């Protein structure tokens, strides 16, 4: 059976909420679905199952990070903006990975962690759909992982940006909603089956 690493991307103070310096307005709408997902995974883990793991991505820039040449200053390490929002804070031994680039794989130990834990499928959730989520999903594919995007657990600055991101992601990932994802696990099915665009149908 498949083993999934759910990569929770940048659910931080500087992306979510009115005071965020690089606010992703749609991010407010995915807090509740992500809480449901976290509960499902944590309940499963509490029963001794480690076939789904939460991996929290913590954007943590240095003060003069190159990213600030093209984007507003945000998520500087050690600041309030770089902290996880309280509603989605990591718990227990859930793994936290700091990053300084769009992709959660770029110059981090995400690939090493996934391989050490024998996780063969990367599930992307969080913000922004068309930037960090898409970049992470692309790198997951480049590293030969199966990739799933949970559409209603991702968000971008606008709905249009979100939808454009999902269309791109549908070419090489399995795009599904949270209920479909959980239902597949409950049926003993691999949620990734049917992923991608093997017949070149996406327009």
């Amino acid at each position: 059976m498949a083993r999934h690493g759910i990569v929770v991307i940048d659910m931080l103070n500087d992306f979510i909420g009115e005071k965020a310096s690089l606010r992703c307005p749609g991010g407010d709408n995915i807090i509740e679905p992500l809480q449901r997902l976290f509960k499902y995974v944590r309940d499963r883990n509490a029963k001794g199952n480690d076939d789904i793991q939460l991996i929290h991505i913590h954007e943590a820039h240095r003060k003069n990070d190159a990213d600030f040449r093209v984007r507003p200053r945000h998520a500087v390490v050690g600041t309030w903006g770089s902290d996880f929002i309280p509603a989605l804070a990591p718990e227990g031994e859930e793994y936290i990975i700091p990053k300084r680039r769009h992709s959660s794989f770029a110059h981090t130990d995400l690939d090493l962690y996934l391989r050490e834990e024998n996780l063969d499928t990367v599930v992307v959730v969080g913000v922004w759909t068309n930037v960090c989520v898409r970049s992470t999903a692309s790198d997951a594919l480049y590293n030969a992982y199966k990739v799933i995007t949970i559409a209603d657990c991702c968000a971008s600055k606008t709905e249009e940006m979100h939808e454009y991101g999902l269309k791109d992601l549908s070419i090489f990932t399995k795009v599904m909603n949270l209920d479909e994802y959980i239902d597949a696990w409950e049926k003993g099915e691999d949620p990734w089956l049917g992923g991608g665009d093997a017949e070149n149908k996406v327009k």
Side-chain angles (χ1 to χ4, degrees), residues 6 34 54 63 79 81 90 100 111-113 129 137 168 179 183:
I6 297 180
L34 284 172
L54 294 171
K63 182 179 179 180
T79 67
R100 290 175 48 206
D111 181 58
L112 178 62
Y113 179 78
T129 312
D168 283 348
D179 288 339
D183 186 58

Side-chain angles (χ1 to χ4, degrees), residues 95-160:
Y95 203 56
I96 299 171
I97 296 179
K99 76 174 175 73
R100 290 175 48 206
R101 295 294 180 261
H102 292 161
S103 172
S104 303
F105 284 89
H107 310 294
T108 75
D109 72 344
L110 177 55
D111 181 58
L112 178 62
Y113 179 78
L114 293 167
R115 296 187 190 283
E116 286 179 337
E117 295 295 315
N118 296 312
L119 302 171
D120 57 26
T121 304
V122 170
V123 182
V124 289
V125 298
V127 296
W128 299 20
T129 312
N130 58 315
V131 185
C132 294
V133 172
R134 186 185 184 283
S135 297
T136 298
S138 295
D139 278 355
L141 180 69
Y142 303 156
N143 284 283
Y145 294 101
K146 297 181 288 185
V147 191
I148 293 171
T149 305
I150 303 183
D152 52 346
C153 288
C154 296
S156 197
K157 185 175 184 179
T158 67
E159 186 61 25
E160 183 179 40

Side-chain angles (χ1 to χ4, degrees), residues 8 38 42 54-58 84 88-90 94-97:
V8 185
F38 284 21
R42 287 166 177 165
L54 294 171
I55 303 166
H56 302 269
I57 303 302
H58 178 212
F84 294 99
L88 295 171
E94 292 168 359
Y95 203 56
I96 299 171
I97 296 179

